[in-house]
Amino acid sequence: MSTRQTAGVLGLIILISVSSLSASTKVPRYHSQYDFLLASPASMSFGLYGYANPAVLKQVEHSDLLFGWTGASDDFSDFDRWGLFSGFPMPRLGFGVIKDKSDLGQIWDYRLTTAFGDKGGSFGIGYGWTTGDKTAYARSSVVTIGTLMRPSKYLSLGLSGIFATSGGGMEGLFDIGIRPLGNEVLTFFGDYAPQNGDTFKNAPWSTGVVLEALPGVRLTGRYFSDHEVTLGLGFSLARIGLTAQSRSDTERKHSYNTYTVRAGAMDRNVFRAYGQKNKKYLHMGLTGPVKYQRYRMFDKSHTFSGILAAIDAAKQDDIISGIAINTSGMIMGWEMAWEVREALKGFQAAGKNVVVFVDDASLPKYHFASVADKIVLDPTGDVSLLGFRAGRFYLKGTLEKLGIGFDELRFFKYKSAYEIFSQESMSEGDEEQLQAMIDDFYALARADICEGRGISHDEFDRMVNEEVWFPAKDALEAGLVDTLGRWEAVREVIKGLEGKSRSLVGAGKLARYELPNDDYWGKKPKVAIIYGLGVCAMDTGIKARSLERVFDHVAGNSEIKAVVFRVDSPGGSATASDVVAEAIKRCKKKKPVVISQGWLAASGGYWISMYGDTIVAAPNTITGSIGVIGGWFYNDGLKEKMGMTTDLVKVGDHADLGHGISLPFLGRLPDRDYSDGEREKMEDLITTFYYDFVDKVAEGRGMESAEIDSIGQGRVWSGTDGLENGLVDVLGGMETAIMLARARAGISAEQEVDIVELPKPPLFSTPSLMPRLFGIEHKEDPFIEHLKFRLDHNGEVMPIVPSEYLDPELEYMD
């Protein structure tokens, strides 16, 4: 049962309970007890943080405190009646107390509440008790239950009940809010509160309107069934808010005033909206690794999606006029950096500036920095324009010396995944594909840098081929940077750009993250970003077994309207690849699935991409490699050198294949190579696998198998070439993929959406805790991990690319 359905059932229970009320001990009337409210609980802000309807507490996102008081005269300092209310999102608790003084004495009504659910529907429960002068009250403790349903941004429905624990006193509250514009500017509301003994006609009700024409300035008017009227004014001062409300009696004579002071959470306000426009810069310190997902505990890494979201939030925020980026110690994949660079270009297109500080820069990092309006280089730093390389080291001779044999089962020109074990230098096919790929990468960097810095292509080529290294002063003279200085100098550069100083703020100060969410009722449409990262394996890497379940779950989730599948994988197991590909095929029958290819989406990484409705790749994505290969490591003297022997019994002529010694790290090393007959069978198997792969890609891409074969044969392509040959539909990044997914799902560009990232990351990483607990640091080497995977799958036919494509010299900017 969904949260909204649960909330509806709870509301029905309240309705039935209240409709069956009989005369008994009374509980305080809602309209007299909650006169600190300017509107009904479900219709404005956060409704006393659950004191009236506990379900409203679920909507509170930041801790907040409100104090209100009421006097029967015009005396501002009359505190005969006051209330204190608070709400805390973690833990989800609300606490409130109302103190009332009369001729009979003083009483204190306390209420403790909690709530569950989400933005579309929530339910809550509370417990209340009363203390004070016994002559002033004759009340039992009470239990409150409530539900809040917001099926759309136009409608809010609240149902709650208060039940005395003795004496049978009960009261129901039904309230509704309607926003004809779908936002906080205009809200109509009404409520109805029957109690013991009330008939349908004589139960009290009220109706009114809330107008927020300016951010944080709220005008309210309310008419009650007994003909009383209230007029209210609320004024927000960021983290402090003030309200005043005047109440007129049935004869339209002034009766009393109510005042409140709120403190804690940030609220919309005119000072932020108008007084701080274009007065701040977003500070982005990108020290450390940038990852797709971080552990939920003990991990402060930057996330790729978080960086993109912060740039977009800054672009939409009127107080932000620029971004200042500190790249010192930044470790970011080059393809990721290109996407962030493109996002920064979009930010600049909104009329805002970008300043980047670098302490030193290789060509990939300088490519990233060149988007800036101003580049600040450390005085002791340099810019090195070495160009790009793609190289390999070869282990054929090493294996021979060790006594390890290797048989490369390669039958396609470009499928070079095992070449480092079988050769001493590049094959013709590998040299051809790698040269074409880095030519495209260089062309991309040159075009972007020349556009950003106003340098001609010929001059850039000369710098790369003749100058190479640029110490700080030379970089300044050459126009590669604009200023020399440390990070502190960035403020002066900003002052020069803007004409006056600008303060730097973190992402937490952006409107998207700081302001309350009460401007939007209900759930926003969701777009799921599903990550397929690492080798294609059933229980490691992409974890195909669980990833299949994620896709099936998302396919059946009506709240998720579209899927973006982010692929960053070198391939691996054909079975794991096909399990995920088939899950995508099932999912896209129910909702759009757009593929976003990261740095590496080749071989098995392309297999899990091929059935997407649209494939989006960056120009510097490594894609394609449609092909399969096998490799067989076996004993060729190592066993004998180590003084080891093996023996076995068998049934079946080939049962001994794979039997051998077991070694640390290497795992099992078979005693022998394939026989001629066995190798022929493996060739048939690999060829069959290949053409099956080709046919599947042809089906997914809507092309002929012969066309796929002509660009297949295991060849890798850049995203740029992939667009030309039909393996890619659109050049872009994850933001482009999200935009396309929204459009395919029929979500308008103006409609806000919630992004859901799946699978959920683990709580924490055990290796990352070891330095803290024991002083032992554990680092994983991508090449070693990839090599272990190959050894674990010795002899298997796999759609996989060379481990060297994970080379940090090519991918990372450090």
Side-chain angles (χ1 to χ4, degrees):
M1 183 180 292
S2 69
T3 303
R4 188 178 297 171
Q5 290 170 330
T6 303
V9 170
L10 183 57
L12 182 61
I13 294 172
I14 297 170
L15 179 63
I16 294 171
S17 298
V18 173
S19 65
S20 61
L21 295 178
S22 59
S24 185
T25 302
K26 302 291 185 181
V27 295
R29 285 281 186 183
Y30 155 74
H31 285 115
S32 62
Q33 183 79 341
Y34 305 127
D35 48 4
F36 300 110
L37 287 167
L38 296 182
S40 61
S43 303
M44 180 179 173
S45 299
F46 302 113
L48 300 185
Y49 317 111
Y51 194 96
N53 180 347
V56 175
L57 182 64
K58 180 59 186 176
Q59 310 301 318
V60 176
E61 289 194 330
H62 304 282
S63 297
D64 214 13
L65 182 72
L66 182 141
F67 178 75
W69 67 100
T70 299
S73 67
D74 292 331
D75 185 358
F76 185 78
S77 61
D78 184 352
F79 289 97
D80 283 348
R81 176 174 167 77
W82 56 261
L84 181 66
F85 312 93
S86 58
F88 306 95
M90 291 294 290
R92 185 69 59 180
L93 288 176
F95 175 76
V97 56
I98 295 177
K99 176 260 183 183
D100 209 345
K101 180 180 179 182
S102 68
D103 293 339
L104 297 177
Q106 301 183 82
I107 60 172
W108 285 264
D109 279 322
Y110 299 92
R111 196 74 50 82
L112 186 64
T113 58
T114 190
F116 311 90
D118 53 39
K119 294 179 181 179
S122 58
F123 56 96
I125 187 168
Y127 177 75
W129 67 97
T130 304
T131 64
D133 298 323
K134 292 185 177 180
T135 55
Y137 76 96
R139 305 177 190 171
S140 71
S141 56
V142 297
V143 173
T144 60
I145 60 173
T147 179
L148 180 69
M149 293 174 288
R150 288 177 170 170
S152 76
K153 62 182 180 180
Y154 302 101
L155 180 64
S156 178
L157 298 170
L159 298 168
S160 62
I162 179 169
F163 304 88
T165 58
S166 63
M170 291 184 268
E171 181 181 57
L173 171 62
F174 311 93
D175 68 304
I176 182 173
I178 298 174
R179 287 179 168 175
L181 305 178
N183 57 34
E184 78 283 4
V185 173
L186 182 63
T187 305
F188 296 102
F189 66 88
D191 52 39
Y192 176 73
Q195 202 175 97
N196 306 66
D198 290 340
T199 64
F200 179 79
K201 290 184 178 181
N202 70 8
W205 55 266
S206 75
T207 185
V209 62
V210 181
L211 177 66
E212 188 174 341
L214 295 173
V217 180
R218 302 171 179 104
L219 300 173
T220 65
R222 192 175 187 180
Y223 177 81
F224 295 85
S225 55
D226 62 1
H227 308 299
E228 293 189 359
V229 174
T230 61
L231 295 175
L233 171 64
F235 193 78
S236 173
L237 303 169
R239 294 191 180 277
I240 296 175
L242 307 172
T243 69
Q245 183 176 213
S246 175
R247 189 169 189 128
S248 299
D249 61 20
T250 57
E251 297 179 358
R252 298 296 187 270
K253 294 180 180 180
H254 177 259
S255 179
Y256 60 86
N257 295 329
T258 303
Y259 309 96
T260 67
V261 178
R262 182 198 60 81
M266 178 63 72
D267 193 8
R268 296 180 294 276
N269 59 90
V270 293
F271 303 105
R272 190 187 198 282
Y274 302 107
Q276 299 183 34
K277 192 170 185 178
N278 294 325
K279 287 191 175 182
K280 299 182 185 297
Y281 263 56
L282 173 63
H283 169 215
M284 300 186 75
L286 298 182
T287 301
V290 177
K291 305 191 297 189
Y292 282 115
Q293 292 181 294
R294 62 184 172 205
Y295 296 100
R296 286 177 276 177
M297 297 174 63
F298 312 117
D299 189 355
K300 295 183 179 180
S301 303
H302 303 287
T303 64
F304 177 53
S305 61
I307 291 172
L308 294 178
I311 294 172
D312 183 65
K315 177 182 175 181
Q316 306 297 330
D317 199 326
D318 289 338
I319 76 168
I320 299 296
S321 61
I323 295 177
I325 301 175
N326 188 344
T327 67
S328 180
M330 178 177 75
I331 304 173
M332 186 190 305
W334 187 30
E335 188 281 332
M336 281 187 182
W338 178 83
E339 291 195 43
V340 175
R341 192 183 191 279
E342 289 296 295
L344 291 170
K345 287 172 66 176
F347 178 82
Q348 290 169 318
K352 304 186 178 190
N353 296 314
V354 175
V355 178
V356 173
F357 168 78
V358 293
D359 43 16
D360 57 66
S362 60
L363 181 52
K365 182 180 280 188
Y366 185 72
H367 178 204
F368 172 78
S370 66
V371 71
D373 296 279
K374 297 292 181 182
I375 300 176
V376 180
L377 176 65
D378 190 283
T380 61
D382 66 85
V383 176
S384 57
L385 303 180
L386 291 172
F388 295 116
R389 69 172 180 269
R392 303 248 185 119
F393 62 89
Y394 296 86
L395 300 175
K396 179 181 179 182
T398 304
L399 295 180
E400 289 174 353
K401 288 180 181 294
L402 290 172
I404 298 175
F406 179 73
D407 190 356
E408 183 186 31
L409 303 172
R410 176 179 179 177
F411 307 106
F412 306 102
K413 178 179 179 180
Y414 301 102
K415 198 64 182 174
S416 58
Y418 284 102
E419 197 168 281
I420 65 168
F421 304 111
S422 64
Q423 299 202 178
E424 295 176 343
S425 60
M426 282 187 190
S427 66
E428 178 185 347
D430 202 30
E431 182 178 357
E432 178 187 345
Q433 66 183 346
L434 289 178
Q435 187 64 59
M437 191 166 60
I438 63 170
D439 284 346
D440 285 348
F441 293 172
Y442 179 81
L444 171 66
R446 179 177 63 182
D448 285 346
I449 291 170
C450 290
E451 178 187 20
R453 300 304 298 175
I455 302 172
S456 71
H457 285 203
D458 289 342
E459 175 61 13
F460 181 78
D461 290 340
R462 187 195 68 79
M463 289 179 174
V464 171
N465 295 318
E466 297 180 17
E467 300 288 341
V468 188
W469 288 284
F470 293 83
K473 290 183 179 179
D474 293 347
L476 182 63
E477 291 177 4
L480 294 174
V481 300
D482 301 288
T483 303
L484 302 182
R486 297 274 154 80
W487 169 249
E488 294 75 17
V490 167
R491 293 182 182 273
E492 287 301 314
V493 173
I494 293 172
K495 185 176 180 180
L497 267 176
E498 301 287 341
K500 54 179 67 176
S501 298
R502 294 286 184 259
S503 59
L504 301 182
V505 298
K509 296 296 183 181
L510 297 174
R512 183 177 298 177
Y513 308 120
E514 187 176 45
L515 295 184
N517 64 6
D518 65 317
D519 59 333
Y520 191 102
W521 282 348
K523 294 183 180 180
K524 301 171 185 175
K526 293 180 180 178
V527 174
I529 298 176
I530 300 176
Y531 293 104
L533 311 176
V535 294
C536 292
M538 293 302 292
D539 300 302
T540 60
I542 67 171
K543 298 180 180 177
R545 204 183 311 275
S546 60
L547 195 58
E548 178 187 26
R549 292 195 294 268
V550 170
F551 272 104
D552 289 342
H553 166 74
V554 166
N557 188 331
S558 61
E559 294 180 357
I560 296 175
K561 306 302 181 184
V563 176
V564 171
F565 184 35
R566 178 70 174 198
V567 177
D568 218 321
S569 171
S573 161
T575 300
S577 302
D578 202 53
V579 164
V580 173
E582 290 297 321
I584 291 172
K585 187 187 286 189
R586 293 193 299 272
C587 186
K588 79 171 191 176
K589 291 179 180 179
K590 297 184 177 181
K591 58 197 61 178
V593 179
V594 175
I595 308 299
S596 171
Q597 295 186 333
W599 166 250
L600 186 56
S603 203
Y606 193 84
W607 195 316
I608 61 177
S609 302
M610 62 190 180
Y611 290 139
D613 291 298
T614 305
I615 296 179
V616 180
N620 53 352
T621 292
I622 300 174
T623 190
S625 191
I626 299 165
V628 292
I629 195 170
W632 182 252
F633 295 91
Y634 61 93
N635 176 61
D636 193 24
L638 176 64
K639 179 177 73 171
E640 291 73 19
K641 290 177 184 180
M642 298 180 67
M644 302 176 73
T645 60
T646 59
D647 202 356
L648 81 161
V649 294
K650 67 177 183 177
V651 175
D653 293 344
H654 307 281
D656 63 317
L657 184 63
H659 178 72
I661 59 175
S662 293
L663 297 171
F665 175 72
L666 288 177
R668 183 173 295 277
L669 186 65
D671 279 344
R672 67 174 179 86
D673 192 5
Y674 293 115
S675 67
D676 290 343
E678 289 167 340
R679 202 174 194 284
E680 287 179 10
K681 292 289 186 182
M682 289 301 299
E683 181 176 353
D684 291 342
L685 181 63
I686 288 173
T687 303
T688 300
F689 256 95
Y690 170 70
Y691 286 109
D692 184 46
F693 190 0
V694 167
D695 290 342
K696 287 175 181 289
V697 174
E699 176 193 351
R701 301 302 298 157
M703 299 169 67
E704 296 296 326
S705 294
E707 293 180 84
I708 300 301
D709 184 37
S710 69
I711 56 176
Q713 299 289 317
R715 176 160 182 169
V716 292
W717 303 91
S718 69
T720 301
D721 285 341
L723 179 66
E724 293 181 3
N725 63 31
L727 293 179
V728 170
D729 297 300
V730 178
L731 287 184
M734 195 152 69
E735 288 192 320
T736 303
I738 292 172
M739 178 187 69
L740 292 171
R742 288 170 53 117
R744 279 184 168 272
I747 302 172
S748 68
E750 297 77 23
Q751 172 66 53
E752 297 179 54
V753 298
D754 281 333
I755 301 296
V756 181
E757 296 184 75
L758 300 168
K760 294 295 184 183
L763 279 177
F764 58 85
S765 166
T766 302
S768 69
L769 291 180
M770 292 178 69
R772 302 184 188 194
L773 299 177
F774 308 109
I776 302 172
E777 187 168 2
H778 172 82
K779 286 188 176 180
E780 293 182 350
D781 184 306
F783 174 78
I784 296 298
E785 293 301 312
H786 201 63
L787 181 58
K788 287 180 181 178
F789 176 81
R790 291 172 188 242
L791 291 169
D792 288 342
H793 296 269
N794 190 24
E796 292 186 20
V797 180
M798 292 193 293
I800 196 167
V801 297
S803 56
E804 291 75 24
Y805 292 166
L806 304 174
D807 183 359
E809 290 187 353
L810 186 60
E811 183 179 1
Y812 291 102
M813 307 183 304
D814 54 4

